[in-house]
């Protein structure tokens, strides 16, 4: 087991409200099942031959350090709609992939469109062939409590 | 020794002035004894069965990568009071804990109050029982030089 | 091989344009040869006895996690000049070093001057003797597309 080049990954997203912006963010992580680990923020490249998981591994130790790419936004302005999205492009032969993030005051369709364009440009400038595009996103309209929208790709060293 | 799930931790805080905001931050880290290591920022969960240290380990190599949760604020507005606080909640049986951070233009009592509320909400939404609440904070009123207030939980892999 | 105390490092910088600010940043990383790895942001201390590389190692796996100190700025305001700089101070006997970062709406000479002052203060407050000062910087004037200026010190665990 090595921390340096992740072997598996999963895409997740959620929205939540909370008593503060930080609690709203935390509550969104909890809904995603990653509220009890330590996220270490990465810039955003998918290692070659990554295996995509459909659900989180069991028995992740509390407080484990997991390399994660995430987009998030919090707001306490009632009536505002906020969204976060991550777009993942996978190359032919699973030789690597790219993750682009976007979060802002917009709908999730707009956030998804933004990350799609970014993935396409990332592949074009690298001369890579885009085999598959995947996206996760989350949208919430703020009511009377702080709210958060979070999208994440969590990577695992084993 | 594994980098992935820390074994020990320590809570520290300090304020400092400096020639620039970044130097003020750096000078606060120096006062805390962590000016010569590399902090890798974490989201904020305490691993199970962590051992809390009262003082930093001896002989930490210069430039070592240490997973750290930190709250900080810098300001160069004379007369402003700035504060940073970290609140740590420990669960029954030391099965895990949570760290919440706050930094802003406020007194340290206000920053401490903010993180206390966040810890309480974090435990409530997880259904965890809060056995112990610990807090570190730092406050400084800016004079004629840039100033920083920093609070940190530094974790160790051994 | 341990992730915890890096053994080698390299200083790089680049500017680039892109379809979005994030793509401009990504394109600058690509020019620097680090567009296909995952940067894990560090605070900024050089381990003792680091070996400085003149070129990137061959065969870095796609998606590898590399501890990196970086300064960056993106802008889409036509006519604006943006710059990023990293200043590295090396101590006598290579017992350790410090990295300071600056990025802003300024020329690269101004950004270099800022980091030089920060390095000098960092050495002075530590009582370290500055044997060598190195700087990398990048400057670009925004035209009709989003642009980025990036300076980085990338560290390697082997």
């Amino acid at each position: 087991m090595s921390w340096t080049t992740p072997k598996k990954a999963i895409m997740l997203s959620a929205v939540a409200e909370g008593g503060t912006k930080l609690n709203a963010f935390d509550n969104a992580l909890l809904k995603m099942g990653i509220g009890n680990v330590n996220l270490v923020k990465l810039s955003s490249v998918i290692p070659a031959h990554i295996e995509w998981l459909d659900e989180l591994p069991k028995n992740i130790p509390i407080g484990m350090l997991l390399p994660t790419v995430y987009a998030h936004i919090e707001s306490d302005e009632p009536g505002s709609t906020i969204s976060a999205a991550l777009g993942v492009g996978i190359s032919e032969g699973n030789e690597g992939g790219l993750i682009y993030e976007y979060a802002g005051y917009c709908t999730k369709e707009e956030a998804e469109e933004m990350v799609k364009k970014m993935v396409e440009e990332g592949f074009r400038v690298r001369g890579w062939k885009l085999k598959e595009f995947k996206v996760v996103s989350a949208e919430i309209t703020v009511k009377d409590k702080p709210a958060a929208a979070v999208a994440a790709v969590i990577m695992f060293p084993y």
Side-chain angles (χ1 to χ4, degrees), chain A:
Chain A
M1 171 172 140
S2 158
W3 208 74
T4 54
T5 309
K7 305 288 182 294
K8 298 180 185 174
I10 189 168
M11 299 178 76
L12 298 166
S13 66
V15 296
E17 297 179 318
T20 66
K21 289 181 186 180
L22 184 53
N23 284 111
F25 174 68
D26 180 46
N27 291 340
L29 296 183
L30 269 179
K31 282 193 190 173
M32 295 155 76
I34 54 171
N36 295 330
V37 296
N38 277 305
L39 309 181
V40 178
K41 196 159 192 168
L42 300 186
S43 54
S44 46
V45 174
I46 305 282
H49 307 298
I50 199 97
E51 178 191 341
W52 289 94
L53 303 174
D54 292 320
E55 55 184 82
L56 286 167
K58 305 293 176 209
N59 304 319
I60 301 174
I62 290 180
M64 185 176 178
L65 273 53
L66 291 177
T68 304
V69 179
Y70 56 100
H72 68 106
I73 181 167
E74 292 78 35
S75 174
D76 53 10
E77 299 169 29
S80 293
T81 294
I82 53 176
S83 295
L86 284 186
V88 171
I90 305 294
S91 68
E92 282 252 284
N94 197 12
E95 296 297 328
L98 301 174
I99 310 173
Y100 291 85
E101 59 195 69
Y102 188 78
Y105 283 78
C106 61
T107 64
K108 74 179 190 178
E109 287 75 19
E110 290 167 325
E112 290 181 359
E113 188 57 29
M114 278 295 296
V115 296
K116 185 157 189 284
K117 281 183 188 164
M118 292 194 264
V119 167
E120 288 167 351
E121 177 169 341
F123 271 70
R124 196 170 57 243
V125 296
R126 281 169 177 80
W128 289 4
K129 189 152 181 211
L130 182 58
K131 191 190 171 195
E132 187 184 356
F133 173 74
K134 312 205 278 189
V135 66
V136 280
S137 62
E139 172 189 312
I140 188 169
T141 297
V142 185
K143 291 179 192 155
D144 54 351
K145 297 178 71 172
V150 186
V153 173
I154 300 99
M155 300 189 199
F156 298 90
Y158 48 81

